[in-house]
Amino acid sequence: MGRASAAFAALALAGSARAFVPSAGTTFKGSGFTVATRQSVTNRNGIGSMIFDFPAPGQRKDYPRPPLEETSENQREAAAFSQAFIDMPRPERPLKVAVIGAGLAGLSCAKYLSDAGHKPVVLEARDVLGGKVAAWQDKDGDWIETGLHIFFGAYPNVNQMFTELGIRDRLQWKSHSMIFAMPGQQTADGFQRFSRFEFPALLPAPLNGLVAILLNNEMLTFPEKIQFGIGLLPAILFGQKYVEECDSLTVSQWMKKQGVPDRVNDEVFIAMAKALNFIDPENLSMTVVLTALNRFLQETHGSKMAFLDGPPPTRLCQPMADHMIARGGELKMKQRIAEILLNDDTTVKGLKMQDGSTVVADAYVSTMPVDVLKLALPEEWKPMPYFEKLNGLNGVPVINIHLWFDRKLTTVDHLLFSRSPLLSVYADMSLTCKGYRDDDKSMLELVFAPAKDWIGKPDEEIIEATMEELYKLFPNELNKDGSGAQLLKSAVVKTPLSVYEATAGREMYRPVQTSPISNFFLAGCFTKQKYLASMEGATFSGKLAARALSDAAIAGTIPLQEAVAAVAA
């Protein structure tokens, strides 16, 4: 079905949507249903409607894994890409590869290098796996995470990783919805109202996305949707070339140029921008938004979300490490790099560690964050155009917050876009995550963004500002006079320099994984790949670096070390 035909079909479906909704004794205002109404949305046979299928507040409901391999060409390509490592000719002499960093990029790179028959040695500076998805336990045994991590159907290489490791059951898939809080608006019984974009289960992309947008009349009017759609026509007609050209524009500049109403920014793009890169539309590159829309709307299950069933280091990162260790790789914790040592030809001679030891390998892969990498670069490399352009990339500050309450708050088993000035997204992890489940108390995990003006402030001020926002999001349960739910404890995790800040014009500074140094490669979400600053981007970058290195090994372009004994400092 062509895109034009799909749009007309979506309009027709939107006009007949009442056929799926019971009319007797129910009233609707947009999608702000009461609990009783939500529970009664069924057809005459008692089967849940294909459109309004989500759990009522306070109820858990995980969904089956979507058939990604059947509906996503990207997923099939990811599987074929993985298989290519296994099908590669086995090297006569496996390369010893030093991989700097045990985040998703580093562990992904090591995993696929081991699949190709090489021997990775992963060097992690800290005592915890995960990098930007790291987590640790506090004195009470509660887990504290670096960020609120959501997995999407449009993450083909991440989903493929779960399949290859045999841990697909660790992803808890939620209803195919995008749920926005409506601050200051309450239901008849005084609780926070939400506005939902529901993706019909029986429709393929892009029909399901178009119907989801057309059926939601709370956040945008029909004329505003039409204006927004017209604004997106160039992206539909001219594809990836247009998407890349839009990197020169911020989201706000693009909207003005395309005549998109300001309310689209206020109602949708502010929340979307903060969720995608922790910055506002006035700064975010439009390429980021168009890339996300393309992935979410062109794949049937692209925007379907899942929560990991526990902390990422143990539930995802450790299985990745175990996989490569079982194939001859090594993992070394608390190994911080002090200096990259060079040969006379500027290739890497070894890595001098802060403990005084030296690691020597045939090849090296850095997955250090771009800000750390810039500090670690040898002086001889800095004038090279490949490395010089890294100066155009900088990490964005991010704050992740955990709040434990003495009772259960009324929320939804899903990711929620807060639409508040200071908060990006949040979730009640005691509800959404099996490993953190608590039937009596709530633990909210929230992303505080943009964080630039707050990263240096005391934790107490950040918690106070967060609570001010929560009084609006939980009007019937949290009260300034202390009469409502009580905050038992909190944790603030500050990352001054997180993923690269995707402001307008950043694409030209992102390096490919193969550097001009024959035995040195890069990975990390800041490197060139189509999934930008995300878990998928990090995982995919590691896979790309592993392939580039493996191909170079086959081509014989990597100078092999005759001995791997430690060299003198």
Side-chain angles (χ1 to χ4, degrees), residues 228 231-235 242 246 249-260 269 286 290:
F228 182 28
L232 287 173
L233 279 178
Y242 176 82
C246 285
L249 300 172
T250 67
V251 174
S252 299
Q253 289 170 340
W254 177 88
M255 289 179 58
K256 184 176 181 180
K257 180 181 178 181
Q258 297 300 114
V260 177
F269 277 166
M286 189 61 195
L290 291 176

Side-chain angles (χ1 to χ4, degrees), residues 219-297:
M219 296 178 65
L220 296 176
T221 65
F222 189 77
E224 288 168 341
K225 295 174 189 176
I226 295 299
Q227 288 177 274
F228 182 28
I230 293 173
L232 287 173
L233 279 178
I236 296 172
L237 295 174
F238 304 115
Q240 187 62 27
K241 183 176 183 293
Y242 176 82
V243 170
E244 292 174 359
E245 290 173 351
C246 285
D247 185 55
S248 63
L249 300 172
T250 67
V251 174
S252 299
Q253 289 170 340
W254 177 88
M255 289 179 58
K256 184 176 181 180
K257 180 181 178 181
Q258 297 300 114
V260 177
D262 290 341
R263 257 179 42 85
V264 175
N265 182 67
D266 298 340
E267 296 294 321
V268 178
F269 277 166
I270 290 178
M272 192 174 183
K274 292 197 292 185
L276 288 171
N277 196 240
F278 315 113
I279 57 178
D280 286 320
E282 289 78 12
N283 299 304
L284 183 67
S285 164
M286 189 61 195
T287 289
V288 176
V289 172
L290 291 176
T291 298
L293 288 174
N294 181 50
R295 301 283 177 257
F296 289 166
L297 296 179

Side-chain angles (χ1 to χ4, degrees), residues 10 80 446:
L446 313 100

